[in-house]
Amino acid sequence: MDARAPAVVAVLVTRDPGPWFDETLAALAGQDYSELSVLVLVSGGEEDPTERVARHLPHAFVRRLPEDRGFGAAVNEAMAMVEGAAFFLLCHDDCAPDPDAVHRLVEESFRSNAGVVSPKMVRWDDPSVLLHVGLNADKTGAVVGRVRPGEVDHGQHDAARDVFVAPGGCTLVRADLLQAIGGYDAGIRAMGEDLDLSWRAQLAGARVVVAPEARARHLQAVAGGLRPVAPSAGDPAPPTLQQLQRRNELRTVLKCYSGLHLVRVLPQLAVLAAAEVLAALVARDRARANAVLGAWRWNLRRTRELRSLRAAVRRQRVLPDSVVRRQQLRGSARLATYASRLLYQGFDVAHGLVPARQERAVPGEPVVGDGTEPVLTGSVGLAFSEDADFDDLDDLGRRSGRDRFGRRLPRRILASRRSRLLAATVAGLVVLFGSRGLLGGPLPVIGQFAPLQGWASTWHQLFAGWQPAGLGTTAPATPAYGIVGLVGTLALGGMGLAHKVLVLGCIPVGAWGMSRLMRRLAPPRARLAAALAYLLLPLAYDALATGRWDGLVAYAVMPFVLGSLVDAVRAGGRASASAAADRAVPVEGMAVPVEGVAVPVEGAAAAAAEVAGPAADGTGQRRATLRRVALLGLVEAVGVAFAPGVAVAVLLCGLGITAGSFARAGGRRCLRPLAEAVAGTVVAAVLCGPWVVGTALAGSQAVGVFGLPAAASTTPALGGLLRFAVGPIGDSPLSWLLPAAALLPLLVAREARLAWAGRFTAVAMMAWALALVTSRGWAGSFAPSLDVLLAPAAASLAACVGLGVAAFELDLAGFRFGWRQGASLLAAGSLGLGMLPVLAWSFDGRWGLSSTGYEGPLAFMGPSPGGYRVLWLGDPRTLPLGGWADGRGVAYGTSEGGLPTAAEVWAPAGSGPASRLADAVALALRGETAHLGRLLAPAAVRYIVVTSGIAPGSTSSEPAPPALLAALTGQGDLRAVPGVQGFSVFENTEALPERAVRRGPPLGAEATARSRQPAPAGAASSGSGGGWRPVLAGPPGGSVYAGPLPGGTVFASFAPAGRWHLTVDGRTQHEAPAFGWAAQFPRAARGAGRLSVSTSALVPLAASAEVAAWLGLAGWLLAGRRRRRDRGGGRADWPSAALVDAGGAQASAPAAGERGGADTTPAAAPADAGTAPAAASAPVAGMPARRERVPQAARSRGAAQDRQ
Amino acid sequence: MSPHRPVPTGLAAPAAGMRRWALLGMVVVVLAGLAVLDRGIARTAPAPAAVPLAAEAAPAPSESSSWYCAGGSGGGNGVPGATVYLTNTTRTPVAGTVTVGNESGTAATSRVEVPPGGQVAVVPGQLARGAWLAARVDLDRGGVVATQTMGPASAWAVAPCASTASPTWYFASGSTAPGSRLLLALFNPTTTPAVVDTTFATAGGKMSQPAPFEGVVVAPGQVVVADVGTYVQDEPLVATTVSARSGAVVADEVEARQGVVAGLSLRLGVPAPRPSWSLPGIEDPAAGSSSLAVLNPTSRAEEVQVDVQLETGPAAPFDQVVGPGDVWQLETSSARRIPAAQPFTVHVSTRGAGGGVVVDRVVSSTGSTGGANAGAGSAASAGAGAPGWGSVPAAAAVPGLLVWALPGPVGPGSSPPRLGLSSLGGPVSVRLLALAGRTRVTVATLRLPAHGFTVVLPQVLGRAGGRPLLVVGSGPIAAMLDEVPGSPGVVPLVAVPLAPPAGSP
C-alpha cells in the first residue's frame, strides 16, 4: 500500500520580485508537506531571481519565460512542464502560506472532494486582519468579499465551506481539473483570473472550497500599487486595476454563461453598467465611468475570441448554469454595496471620493475627511480595534448617541455629511414624488411644452435656412434646437425622454447650482439650506405648472451666473486680501482678532495668501478672468438659447452685485461684476451669433424675443412678485415666509456674509423692480418673461437664506442675547413653514401642471391634404407656441397642420408677413370686416384658436379680450367649433390649402398688390369661385413637398416669395408672387411636382460655425479645468472665498464649533489655481474640512481591495 | 491647545452696524417705493369689451361690412311685407350681395350695387318665398346703412338692420294685451348653429321662460319667428331677453296693434345693456300717452336716473331702483314736471354696478286734438286726427359718435320727420348734410350748447329734398327722428351712427 501523499507542485510566478519574495520562498521552504515540489516561473522582468530561489529552495526548479504575459499564461506554461502532479499550488510571489497550509489544503480537498481549495488570506504585515476567506460573486461577475475590510480574525470565519471564487495568491487546484478546463484564461493578465478559473471549474463540476484552517499571508503587491501592471502589447499605457477588473469580469460573464442565461443576464448587466456610469459621472468619478464603458468596448472588440472561448467552455461544461447560479449571490452585489455605503457612510465614501473608514486604517495612508462617519461593521471584530469613537459605538458599530456615562450627546441638525446627504436625498425624493405624474406619458401641449420633433428634424431646424414660424421665414434658428438635438441624440432619438430631461432636469440642476454657488460663501449646512430654499421656492414649479420652459431654464442657470459673478467679486478683492494678509500680525503667536472673531495666524495668512495668489500673477489673473467670462458666456448662451430674457437677467445680476459692492466700498474695482456680466453677454451673443443677427434685423420687433407683454390685469401684484406667485404654487400666504427668512443675514450677519447678503439683496430688489415695471407695461413692449426676471431674485433670496444659516451658525454668538436670537428663531420657523406650499403641492404629482393639453380637445385637427395652418390668439402666456405681440395682452402665432411642435415654440423676432394675420384680426376687431376668414384664407389658416387660460379646461386666468371673441363670432365665414373651457375654436370656411392648384387663371392684381391689408376679400378663397384643390404632399412645416400636379395655377402659402421653387418633371416653373409674400406658379405644367425652398448657404455655414464655437469653447473650458485639476488646483471653496470681500478683504473666520460637526473639524484650507499647496494646507480653526479627492492610487487600491 | 473662541463683545463694530442699518433701510425704502408704485399707478384694468351697438355702419374704408335684417315679413302672416333700404353715405359705389333666408333656411342671393350717396331698395319677398324672410347684406366696403321697413299696406314701421350678431338681445317694451300681437324674429346670419333661450319679464318683476322658448335651435341662415302672445298672454308690458347658449343671432320684434290706437312697430333689439341712453328732442303727444320702459336685464339692481332737459332748463330727474330682471315703466306724458307740447330730451343713466339697462320709448296718440303731434296716422286709415302708436329703442349715448346717418323718406308720410339732436358733452357744432350722389349739400348748421338739444323742424329737413342725411357733429351727439305726423302710425326712428375710421381721433 502506497502511503505517500499526493504530489503537489507549487507553481510560483514572479517578475522582478520585491523584498517580500524571500519571505515567500521561505514560507514555501518551510512547508511540512513532504511531496511538495516548487517550480518558479520567472515571467519576464529584468531581475533574475534564481540565486534568491536557490538560497531558500535549493531543489526548486526555475524556468524563465521570455516575456511577461501574466500570471495565468505563466501557469498554463507550467502545466505543460509538469507531469504526475496530483495538485498544483498556484502561488503569487507575494503570498506566504503558513507551514501547514499545503497539507491542510490537500486534506480539505480530499475531505470535501473539492477541485479548488483556497486558504484563509490575511494581511501580510498583520496576520490578525483578514483579507479573504473565499470570495463571493453575483450573476454579473461582480466579486465581493466575505469579510469586511480590516476585519480582525478571531475565528469567526473558520469553517470550511463552498465559495464561488477562490481568491488568487495561493490556490490549490487538482491537476486533472486544471488540465480539463485548460488552465487559466491567457487573455486575463491580472485582476479577475481567479473568478474565471473558479467559475469554469464549477461549470466542469468541481467544488470550490475555502479551508480556513490553512492560512496564507498576502501582500497584494499589484492590487496595492506596489507593482505596476505591465501594458499589453499594443497598449501605450497600462490599464488601471479598475479597468482590468471590469473588463475581465465582463469577459468571464460573456464566456461562462450559456446562451439562454446570457440573454437573461446581459440586459441586466447593461442596465447596471449604465446606472453606474451615470452615478460615476454625477460623482465626477470619471475613472470608474471609463472603466465600465471601457470594459464593454474592450470585450466587444474581441467577439471572435470570445466566441471560441465560449465554445471551449461549452465543451468543458458538466453542470448547467442553474446549478452554478446557486453558488452566486442574489441580486447585484455591487449595487447592494453601493447602497449600503451610501446609506451608512455617505455619498463621498460610496463614490470613492473618500475612502471608507476601514480603508483609511491602512498604515501609511493619509487620513482624509473628518473621520466621524459611523460604520456598520457587521461583526464585533472592529469594535475591539483602536477606535477613537469606541465609546460612542454600539455593538454593531453604530453611534449610540450617548457617551460612556450614558449621557445623551448633543446633536446638531445637519451637522454631519451623512445627515446632509440624507436631507438632500429626501428633498430629491420629494421633487421626484411631486413629479411622479409627469414621468410617464408625454407632457401636455400647453405653454412652451410643445412636443419635440425627431432628433434629425431638430438638427435640421438649426441648420436649415427656413423656418415655418408664422408664414415662413429665413431668419436663423435659435441654438436651442442644437441643444435639444444634442440631448435627443444622446437619448438615442428618444425625444420624449429628452423633453422630460430638459424640462424636469432644470429643477435639480438649479438646486445643484445653488449648492455650488454657496460652496464659495458658506459652510455645508448653510449650503444645504440655500439649495433647499431654492428647490422649494415656488418659482420653478409655477413655471412648470404654466408650461414656461424659459422660466425653468432661467431657474437652472441663474445660480451658475451668480456664482460666476461671485468669483468676479473675489477676483476684485484679491489684492486687498493680499494686503490683509500682510497686515496679519501674530499676537502671541496665536491669533489675529478681526472684529470680534479670531483666526489662528497661520490660518489667516494662508487663507489670505491663497486668495491673493493669482493677484501676484497678472497673467494668471487675466487667464482666470478670461476663463470666468467664457464660462459665464457659455452658461448664459445656454439660457439665452431657450429664454432670451436670461441676457437681461444676467446684466441685472451684474448690476445688482456691482451696486451692492459699490454701496459697501465704492471704487472702480466694484465694477468688475458688471463688466464681466457685460462681457459674458457679449460671449453669449457671439455663441448665438446667427440668431442674434437675425433678431437684430427684426428692428423694433427684436425686443419681442425677450418676451411678449401680457395683459397688465393678469400679472401679479407686487406681493405676488415678492413671493414668486406667478402660478398656482406660490399663491399660498405661507409663501411670504421664505422671503421673510431671507432677511435674517441682514440682521445678524457680519463682515463678508453681511456684504454678500447686501449684494444678493440688491440683485433681488432690482429683479423685483424690473419685474414690476415690465409687468405693468411701463417699459412699453420690453416685457421679458416674469419667470425669467424673477429667477435672479429667487436665486438671490435662496442665497440669502443660506447666508442667514451661516450667520446663525457663525455670527450670532458674537452678539448679546436679544432680539437677534428671536429673529433667528423666527427665520428658522419661516424657513420651515415657507417650504410647505411646495411640499403640499408635491402630493398633486404634477406640480399643478394640467393633465390635459391642447392635444386632447384639438385632436380633430389632423393632417390634411395640402396642409393648413392654425392661428393662435390670446395672452402670450397662454399660447402653446411662440408668437408675436398684437398689442398688450394679445399675441398671435401659427402652427402647421394642427398642434404646434417645438419648431414653433421659439419664433423668430420678426413676424414677417405673418403680421398681416394680425392686421386682419384687427380689422375684425374694429368691425371693418365681416369676412375675416377670407382675409386669412391666403395664409391657409383653417382654424383660429383663441386661448383664455393656460390649459384647456382651466379657469380663464388670462382671458382673451372679450371684444376678440365677439368679433370672431360675428364673422360670416368663421364657424365656431364647440369646445371646452379655456379656449375657443373657429373654423374658417373659406380657408385655402397651403399648397393648392386650380385650373383657373392666376390670382389677379388685387392679390399681387403689396398692400397693408392682409388680402382683399375673395381674392383667394375656397369658396365656389375659388376652385382650389390641395396638392403636393409633405410633412407639416417641411421645406420640400412633392406629388402629382394636374396643371394650372399652383399657390403655395409660404413666405418669402421668391425662395420657393416648383419643378414639374424636373423643369422649373415660372414663379410670381402673390399677396406680396406667397408663391404662385401660373400655368404650371402637368406632371410630378416638387415644391422646395432654397436658402442662402450662409445660414448653414453660420450655424456650423456656431456649433463649432460652442464645442470649441466648451472643450477649451474642460481642458483648462482638467489641467487645473491635474495640477492639484481647484475651486476656492468656503471658507476662503467667504473671507474675500471686494469692499476690503478681511480674514473673518468663524468661531470654533463644537466637536462632532463635520464643519467644525480642522482641516486643510483649499487651494486655488496657482496656489502653493503648502499654504493651502494650513489649518484654520473653526473651519470645515474641505472634501479632498482621494488620490488615484489610493482609490484604485481601495477598489481593488474591495473587489468592486 | 484649546480652540480659540471669539469673545462675545455684544456689539459689532460701529461701521458694520451702520452698514447693516443702511442696508436694511435701503431694503425698506425700495420695497416701500415699489409698493407705492404698485398701488399708486394701478394696474391697467382690462379694456372692457366695447358694448356693441346694434346698428352701426362700418367706416367707409372697411374691407367689408354686413347687415342683418331679421324683421322682414314675407307679406303673409298678417304682417306687412318688408323692404330693405341700403343707403350709401360714401362717395364711391358699393357692391355686395343680399342673401335672403326663410324659416327653413333656404337662401337666395342677389347682387346689389349702391350708388354713391344714393339709396337702393331690396324687397326680400321678391328674392325668396316664405312667411318670414330675413336678409343678410354683405358689402365690399363700409359706409352703407341698411334699414328695413314694413308696410305700407295697413301700417308701416322702420328700423335699422343689425350690423352685428350677438348672443344676447334685449327688448324693454312690448305688449300682449288684447289687440296687440307681439312677434319675435330670430335670425342666424353666421355659419354656426345657435341655440337660443328666451325669457320674458313683465311689470312687477315677474319672469317667465316658456318651454317652447328654451333651446330653440336656429340653423345658419335660418329665421325663426315666435308669437310671444301665445305663451305670455295679456301682459301690457313684456320685456324680452334673448340669450344664445351657443352661437349668435339677430333679434327683431314686430308688434302690431289693432283697435282704436293702431300701429306697427319694428324694433331691433339691443345686444347689451348700457349705462347711458338718450332720447333727443322728443315731444309727448298732446292727446295720447308716452312712456319709457326701462329693463334691467342684469343680475344686480340698478339705480336708474332719468334726466329731462327742457328748452327752458332741466326738470327734476326721475329716480328708480330697478331690480334684476325687472322692467320699469315711466309715463312721461303724465308727469307734471314735463309740460305738454314741449320738446325735451331724456337722458337715462344708471348709477349701479350692474352694467346698465335697456330703454324703449312707447308713444301712443289718439289724434283727437291738435298740436305738434296732431295728425298722427293710424294703421287703418291715413288722415289727420287718426290715432297712432309706435315704440323705439332709445339712442345709445356713446361718447365719440359724431356722424349719424338718416335714410331718405322711406315711409309714405306726407312730411319729413322731426329730428332731435342733443349734445352728449360740451357745446357741439352740427352740420346736416344731404347726400346727393358724390356731393353733399349742407342743409343746416346748428350749434348745440353743452348737454343741450335742438329739434330740427320738418321745414328745415325739407331742404334735403328727401335725400339721405348725414348729421355730423364736432363732438358726441345723439340723433333721433321723432313722430311722423300724417303718416300711418307713429314712426320714430333712431338714426344710425357711422363708426369712425380707424385712427381717427
Side-chain angles (χ1 to χ4, degrees):
Chain A
M1 181 177 174
D2 188 359
R4 287 182 61 186
V8 176
V9 176
V11 180
L12 181 63
V13 182
T14 184
R15 174 176 63 88
D16 294 336
W20 58 80
F21 188 50
D22 293 315
E23 276 193 72
T24 302
L25 294 172
L28 287 175
Q31 290 298 312
D32 58 3
Y33 193 74
S34 58
E35 294 302 321
L36 177 67
S37 308
V38 177
L39 170 62
V40 179
L41 292 173
V42 183
S43 180
E46 305 292 329
E47 181 185 338
D48 182 3
T50 307
E51 192 175 328
R52 292 170 71 179
V53 174
R55 200 158 52 234
H56 296 282
L57 294 164
H59 302 294
F61 301 92
V62 178
R63 287 287 183 274
R64 188 176 181 86
L65 302 177
E67 59 179 353
D68 178 23
R69 289 186 297 166
F71 178 80
V75 169
N76 291 350
E77 292 277 344
M79 285 165 52
M81 299 174 191
V82 176
E83 288 184 359
F87 292 95
F88 284 109
L89 184 67
L90 309 175
C91 294
H92 293 180
D93 66 356
D94 59 348
C95 189
D98 284 358
D100 59 350
V102 173
H103 95 247
R104 289 187 183 279
L105 289 172
V106 173
E107 278 179 8
E108 188 58 43
S109 172
F110 280 104
R111 185 183 303 124
S112 305
N113 191 23
V116 182
V117 186
S118 170
K120 175 165 68 182
M121 298 286 194
V122 295
R123 265 212 333 230
W124 181 270
D125 54 350
D126 183 3
S128 66
V129 178
L130 292 170
L131 283 179
H132 303 296
V133 189
L135 291 169
N136 286 328
D138 66 8
K139 60 186 169 191
T140 67
V143 179
V144 62
R146 296 182 59 236
V147 300
R148 295 192 59 82
E151 185 171 336
V152 175
D153 179 19
H154 50 89
Q156 69 270 35
H157 296 294
D158 283 356
R161 57 168 293 173
D162 287 289
V163 293
F164 194 79
V165 180
C170 179
T171 311
L172 185 77
V173 184
R174 233 172 46 216
D176 61 331
L177 174 67
L178 196 61
Q179 291 288 354
I181 63 177
Y184 280 103
D185 182 347
I188 299 178
R189 295 176 61 85
M191 307 296 294
E193 74 279 4
D194 46 4
L195 168 70
D196 180 79
L197 181 77
S198 302
W199 197 324
R200 287 188 290 117
Q202 291 174 87
L203 289 175
R207 292 179 66 187
V208 179
V209 170
V210 62
E213 290 182 346
R215 194 178 74 162
R217 294 182 298 131
H218 195 184
L219 181 61
Q220 293 185 312
V222 174
L226 299 175
R227 171 185 285 164
V229 177
S232 306
D235 285 348
T240 64
L241 298 178
Q242 191 169 206
Q243 287 172 330
L244 280 174
Q245 184 181 344
R246 302 310 290 260
R247 70 170 61 157
N248 293 337
E249 281 178 4
L250 184 59
R251 178 186 176 96
T252 303
V253 166
L254 290 175
K255 77 183 198 189
C256 289
Y257 275 125
S258 65
L260 188 63
H261 267 78
L262 200 59
V263 169
R264 281 178 51 191
V265 173
L266 207 56
Q268 301 177 45
L269 188 54
V271 170
L272 284 170
E276 187 174 2
V277 167
L278 193 63
L281 290 177
V282 168
R284 295 185 298 158
D285 186 357
R286 282 189 297 176
R288 181 180 287 259
N290 287 338
V292 176
L293 291 175
W296 286 85
R297 276 198 304 269
W298 189 84
N299 281 286
L300 289 177
R301 281 203 294 262
R302 290 165 173 75
T303 49
R304 182 173 297 176
E305 181 189 0
L306 282 172
R307 207 172 295 128
S308 64
L309 290 171
R310 285 180 56 80
V313 170
R314 197 161 50 239
R315 286 192 299 273
Q316 299 155 9
R317 178 185 293 275
V318 173
L319 297 178
D321 282 333
S322 56
V323 175
V324 177
R325 286 282 301 274
R326 290 194 197 115
Q327 298 294 328
Q328 292 174 338
L329 293 174
R330 298 177 69 84
S332 168
R334 186 166 283 121
L335 186 62
T337 306
Y338 174 78
S340 170
R341 287 193 160 187
L342 191 67
L343 189 60
Y344 290 107
Q345 304 197 50
F347 183 86
D348 292 349
V349 173
H351 288 90
L353 302 174
V354 170
R357 177 181 191 79
Q358 298 87 341
E359 294 162 15
R360 272 178 271 150
V362 176
E365 281 298 309
V367 174
V368 291
D370 57 11
T372 58
E373 299 88 353
V375 177
L376 178 62
T377 62
S379 73
V380 297
L382 194 64
F384 292 94
S385 63
E386 294 294 329
D387 192 318
D389 294 327
F390 177 77
D391 291 342
D392 192 20
L393 300 176
D394 63 10
D395 288 345
L396 290 177
R398 294 178 302 213
R399 291 189 174 278
S400 64
R402 296 177 183 276
D403 64 11
R404 68 182 66 189
F405 304 108
R407 295 175 301 203
R408 185 175 293 279
L409 293 171
R411 283 178 178 272
R412 301 177 65 203
I413 299 172
L414 301 176
S416 69
R417 183 175 292 143
R418 176 178 151 187
S419 61
R420 288 194 299 274
L421 178 67
L422 188 65
T425 305
V426 168
L429 289 175
V430 166
V431 174
L432 201 61
F433 175 71
S435 310
R436 65 191 182 281
L438 304 175
L439 300 178
L443 294 171
V445 183
I446 64 168
Q448 296 175 317
F449 289 168
L452 302 182
Q453 302 165 285
W455 66 275
S457 302
T458 306
W459 279 115
H460 178 263
Q461 184 88 8
L462 178 67
F463 290 100
W466 183 82
Q467 296 184 70
L471 302 180
T473 176
T474 53
T478 168
Y481 291 110
I483 299 171
V484 172
L486 178 65
V487 176
T489 307
L490 292 177
L492 303 178
M495 298 307 286
L497 174 66
H499 199 188
K500 285 181 185 168
V501 166
L502 285 169
V503 169
L504 299 178
C506 289
I507 294 175
V509 167
W512 176 57
M514 179 51 62
S515 174
R516 289 178 63 87
L517 162 65
M518 295 307 292
R519 178 187 240 162
R520 301 162 168 92
L521 303 173
R525 188 158 47 170
R527 185 192 319 163
L528 177 67
L532 287 180
Y534 196 55
L535 192 65
L536 296 175
L537 274 173
L539 185 64
Y541 307 99
D542 277 338
L544 190 59
T546 52
R548 302 305 305 176
W549 205 346
D550 54 1
L552 287 166
V553 170
Y555 174 88
V557 302
M558 211 44 64
F560 296 96
V561 169
L562 281 176
S564 181
L565 297 178
V566 166
D567 289 342
V569 174
R570 291 175 48 219
R574 277 178 178 135
S576 298
S578 178
D582 293 340
R583 289 195 302 270
V585 182
V587 179
E588 296 178 0
M590 255 309 292
V592 180
V594 180
E595 294 198 9
V597 294
V599 184
V601 166
E602 66 275 33
E610 180 270 317
V611 294
D617 181 358
T619 306
Q621 193 174 9
R622 276 194 298 275
R623 194 178 300 125
T625 302
L626 193 61
R627 197 168 52 236
R628 211 165 42 241
V629 167
L631 182 60
L632 175 61
L634 188 63
V635 170
E636 185 178 349
V638 171
V640 165
F642 288 91
V646 165
V648 178
V650 169
L651 294 176
L652 189 142
C653 288
L655 191 62
I657 289 187
T658 296
S661 302
F662 201 82
R664 177 168 165 77
R668 287 179 54 194
R669 213 171 45 238
C670 301
L671 294 175
R672 179 183 285 267
L674 181 58
E676 292 199 6
V678 172
T681 304
V682 171
V683 170
V686 171
L687 287 175
C688 305
W691 175 77
V692 169
V693 170
T695 301
L697 291 177
S700 61
Q701 280 192 313
V703 76
V705 298
F706 296 118
L708 303 178
S713 58
T714 63
T715 54
L718 176 63
L721 297 178
L722 292 178
R723 58 199 168 105
F724 308 104
V726 290
I729 310 288
D731 219 17
S732 165
L734 289 177
S735 301
W736 279 107
L737 295 178
L738 275 180
L743 290 173
L744 183 63
L746 299 183
L747 300 174
V748 303
R750 285 177 149 174
E751 294 306 321
R753 281 170 294 283
L754 180 59
W756 281 112
R759 292 184 184 106
F760 287 130
T761 304
V763 172
M765 292 291 164
M766 287 188 175
W768 278 321
L770 188 58
L772 183 71
V773 166
T774 56
S775 67
R776 295 296 183 276
W778 302 333
S781 55
F782 174 66
S785 165
L786 270 186
D787 305 81
V788 175
L789 282 187
L790 289 178
S796 301
L797 187 143
C800 282
V801 167
L803 289 171
V805 173
F808 177 83
E809 203 172 337
L810 304 172
D811 297 331
L812 194 61
F815 295 98
R816 290 186 194 282
F817 186 80
W819 62 268
R820 284 186 174 85
Q821 282 72 13
S824 301
L825 288 178
L826 280 177
S830 299
L831 184 59
L833 291 175
M835 296 175 177
L836 287 182
V838 171
L839 291 177
W841 271 94
S842 69
F843 290 97
D844 174 67
R846 302 179 63 87
W847 300 115
L849 180 65
S850 169
S851 58
T852 307
Y854 287 101
E855 72 279 8
L858 296 186
F860 64 88
M861 293 183 185
S864 170
Y868 64 93
R869 290 192 178 91
V870 180
L871 174 64
W872 298 78
L873 296 165
D875 189 272
R877 288 177 67 86
T878 64
L879 290 190
L881 75 174
W884 304 274
D886 184 27
R888 189 159 198 89
V890 182
Y892 66 97
T894 64
S895 60
E896 293 270 345
L899 292 170
T901 67
E904 286 122 358
V905 166
W906 296 287
S911 58
S915 63
R916 292 162 184 251
L917 305 181
D919 292 342
V921 174
L923 284 179
L925 269 171
R926 293 197 301 267
E928 294 184 16
T929 183
H931 303 289
L932 177 61
R934 287 186 198 171
L935 302 183
L936 301 180
V941 173
R942 180 177 297 177
Y943 295 103
I944 301 174
V945 181
V946 182
T947 58
S948 57
I950 295 296
S954 64
T955 55
S956 297
S957 49
E958 286 87 6
L964 179 61
L965 283 177
L968 297 182
T969 302
Q971 298 300 311
D973 45 16
L974 298 183
R975 180 164 51 227
V977 179
V980 296
Q981 187 180 8
F983 69 100
S984 305
V985 182
F986 298 88
E987 182 179 5
N988 183 1
T989 58
E990 298 285 340
L992 274 178
E994 248 182 7
R995 306 169 299 278
V997 65
R998 73 173 177 187
R999 288 208 171 272
L1003 292 166
E1006 78 279 8
T1008 55
R1010 290 181 177 273
S1011 162
R1012 185 182 164 274
Q1013 298 287 343
S1021 73
S1022 64
S1024 56
W1028 296 98
R1029 285 187 295 147
V1031 287
L1032 300 172
S1039 54
V1040 177
Y1041 300 94
L1045 277 178
T1049 298
V1050 175
F1051 174 71
S1053 177
F1054 298 112
R1059 293 281 191 186
W1060 286 84
H1061 305 286
L1062 177 69
T1063 59
V1064 178
D1065 293 334
R1067 292 189 301 276
T1068 303
Q1069 304 298 301
H1070 167 65
E1071 188 265 345
F1075 307 110
W1077 57 269
Q1080 180 186 210
F1081 303 92
R1083 297 180 298 280
R1086 179 190 184 100
R1090 185 175 187 274
L1091 180 71
S1092 61
V1093 65
S1094 65
T1095 56
S1096 166
L1098 280 178
V1099 177
L1101 279 177
S1104 303
E1106 184 181 9
V1107 172
W1110 280 71
L1111 294 177
L1113 187 62
W1116 179 68
L1117 287 169
L1118 283 175
R1121 179 186 173 87
R1122 187 174 302 159
R1123 277 198 301 274
R1124 290 197 307 281
R1125 194 165 57 192
D1126 291 345
R1127 286 202 304 264
R1131 288 176 308 275
D1133 294 346
W1134 192 89
S1136 63
L1139 301 180
V1140 180
D1141 174 13
Q1146 297 188 31
S1148 157
E1154 300 114 27
R1155 174 188 178 276
D1159 50 352
T1160 58
T1161 304
D1168 198 356
T1171 305
S1177 64
V1180 179
M1183 294 182 181
R1186 176 183 175 228
R1187 188 173 62 178
E1188 294 283 355
R1189 296 191 70 81
V1190 182
Q1192 182 64 34
R1195 197 189 306 175
S1196 298
R1197 180 170 55 255
Q1201 285 174 343
D1202 208 26
R1203 303 302 300 260
Q1204 56 201 319
Chain B
M1 189 162 59
S2 61
H4 182 87
R5 289 187 65 86
V7 179
T9 61
L11 289 174
M18 287 176 61
R19 197 179 308 132
R20 181 190 315 283
W21 293 115
L23 203 53
L24 283 168
M26 182 200 77
V27 170
V28 170
V29 166
V30 171
L31 286 179
L34 292 178
V36 167
L37 275 178
D38 188 37
R39 289 191 175 270
I41 306 177
R43 282 184 288 170
T44 311
V51 179
L53 293 171
E56 183 181 32
S62 293
E63 191 276 336
S64 65
S65 62
S66 293
W67 290 93
Y68 316 116
C69 312
S73 165
N77 229 358
V79 180
T83 302
V84 174
Y85 288 89
L86 303 177
T87 305
N88 186 354
T89 65
T90 70
R91 291 187 171 92
T92 56
V94 178
T97 58
V98 178
T99 305
V100 179
N102 56 24
E103 288 175 289
S104 62
T106 307
T109 302
S110 173
R111 294 285 302 173
V112 64
E113 180 166 326
V114 191
Q119 201 166 29
V120 166
V122 178
V123 181
Q126 295 176 354
L127 298 177
R129 291 189 173 280
W132 204 272
L133 299 175
R136 173 192 171 113
V137 182
D138 291 317
L139 299 160
D140 292 346
R141 292 175 56 82
V144 174
V145 173
T147 52
Q148 53 186 338
T149 65
M150 302 182 78
S154 56
W156 75 282
V158 60
C161 295
S163 59
T164 182
S166 169
T168 53
W169 291 93
Y170 304 99
F171 300 88
S173 67
S175 173
T176 59
S180 292
R181 188 179 181 203
L182 182 60
L183 300 175
L184 173 65
L186 303 174
F187 173 44
N188 181 357
T190 72
T191 54
T192 308
V195 181
V196 180
D197 296 329
T198 307
T199 56
F200 303 98
T202 55
K206 289 191 294 182
M207 294 185 69
S208 64
Q209 186 175 33
F213 286 85
E214 284 185 31
V216 176
V217 177
V218 187
Q222 186 189 14
V223 60
V224 173
V225 181
D227 189 340
V228 178
T230 309
Y231 305 98
V232 185
Q233 299 174 348
D234 298 336
E235 290 290 348
L237 180 61
V238 180
T240 306
T241 297
V242 175
S243 173
R245 297 180 198 171
S246 65
V249 294
V250 172
D252 276 1
E253 272 191 353
V254 176
E255 187 177 353
R257 286 194 181 183
Q258 304 291 335
V260 180
V261 180
L264 183 68
S265 173
L266 172 61
R267 294 189 297 272
L268 172 63
V270 173
R274 307 184 74 92
S276 185
W277 296 93
S278 269
L279 290 158
I282 58 175
E283 186 177 329
D284 287 340
S289 64
S290 176
S291 64
L292 296 178
V294 180
L295 167 68
N296 175 13
T298 68
S299 57
R300 299 174 68 174
E302 281 285 8
E303 189 177 341
V304 178
Q305 176 173 314
V306 178
D307 294 298
V308 177
Q309 180 78 26
L310 304 168
E311 287 180 323
T312 54
F318 299 90
D319 291 312
Q320 176 75 24
V321 175
V322 184
D326 198 2
V327 60
W328 169 50
Q329 190 167 24
L330 171 64
E331 294 280 353
T332 56
S333 55
S334 61
R336 292 186 177 182
R337 66 188 79 171
I338 304 176
Q342 290 284 326
F344 61 94
T345 284
V346 170
H347 189 76
V348 181
S349 59
T350 58
R351 287 183 292 192
V357 293
V358 176
V359 179
D360 271 8
R361 181 173 184 242
V362 183
V363 183
S364 179
S365 174
T366 60
S368 58
T369 59
N373 291 313
S378 74
S381 60
W389 168 88
S391 71
V392 64
V398 182
L401 286 181
L402 307 179
V403 182
W404 298 70
L406 284 164
V410 293
S414 56
S415 60
R418 300 162 66 251
L419 175 63
L421 298 171
S422 67
S423 163
L424 298 177
V428 178
S429 297
V430 179
R431 282 193 304 154
L432 269 60
L433 303 172
L435 300 178
R438 297 179 191 275
T439 60
R440 296 173 179 180
V441 179
T442 301
V443 174
T445 302
L446 310 166
R447 179 78 182 171
L448 296 179
H451 299 289
F453 75 97
T454 187
V455 175
V456 183
L457 296 175
Q459 51 269 36
V460 177
L461 293 178
R463 295 176 200 160
R467 290 188 291 256
L469 276 177
L470 277 184
V471 183
V472 183
S474 62
I477 55 172
M480 186 175 183
L481 286 179
D482 204 3
E483 301 86 5
V484 184
S487 64
V490 179
V491 184
L493 172 65
V494 174
V496 179
L498 269 65
S504 62

